[in-house]
């Protein structure tokens, strides 16, 4: 949600229609925080997932997972 709020703030700065209204609405809304994950993405998971995704023709999923793991977005 933080990124959405930032996105609409840029929209307001660029004077895009509707962005100010959405930004103001999001400023008032609070969302519950999810419970922290106890399972992390391990190398073994990635090494098993990527070949399977490629085999299924889902190269974009394989690439995104590799980038996610490599960029420490786990």
């Amino acid at each position: 949600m933080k990124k959405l709020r930032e996105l609409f703030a840029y929209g307001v700065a660029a004077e895009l229609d509707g962005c100010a209204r959405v930004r103001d609405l999001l400023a008032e809304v609070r969302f519950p925080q999810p419970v922290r994950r106890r399972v992390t993405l391990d190398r073994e998971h990635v090494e098993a997932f990527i070949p399977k995704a490629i085999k299924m023709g889902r190269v974009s999923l394989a690439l995104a997972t590799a980038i996610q793991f490599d960029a420490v977005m786990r």
Side-chain angles (χ1 to χ4, degrees), residues 17-36:
D17 291 336
C19 286
R21 180 172 182 269
V22 175
R23 181 205 55 194
D24 294 342
L25 288 171
L26 288 178
E28 300 299 320
V29 178
R30 295 291 170 248
F31 297 93
Q33 295 295 317
V35 178
R36 290 188 64 101

Side-chain angles (χ1 to χ4, degrees), residues 17-71:
D17 291 336
C19 286
R21 180 172 182 269
V22 175
R23 181 205 55 194
D24 294 342
L25 288 171
L26 288 178
E28 300 299 320
V29 178
R30 295 291 170 248
F31 297 93
Q33 295 295 317
V35 178
R36 290 188 64 101
R37 295 179 188 168
R38 295 190 319 213
V39 177
T40 60
L41 186 63
D42 294 329
R43 177 179 286 279
E44 294 79 25
H45 296 130
V46 175
E47 289 175 347
F49 180 83
I50 290 175
K52 181 70 172 179
I54 292 170
K55 182 179 178 183
M56 295 175 68
R58 304 297 305 264
V59 179
S60 61
L61 285 177
L63 179 61
T65 302
I67 292 170
Q68 177 184 3
F69 184 77
D70 194 49

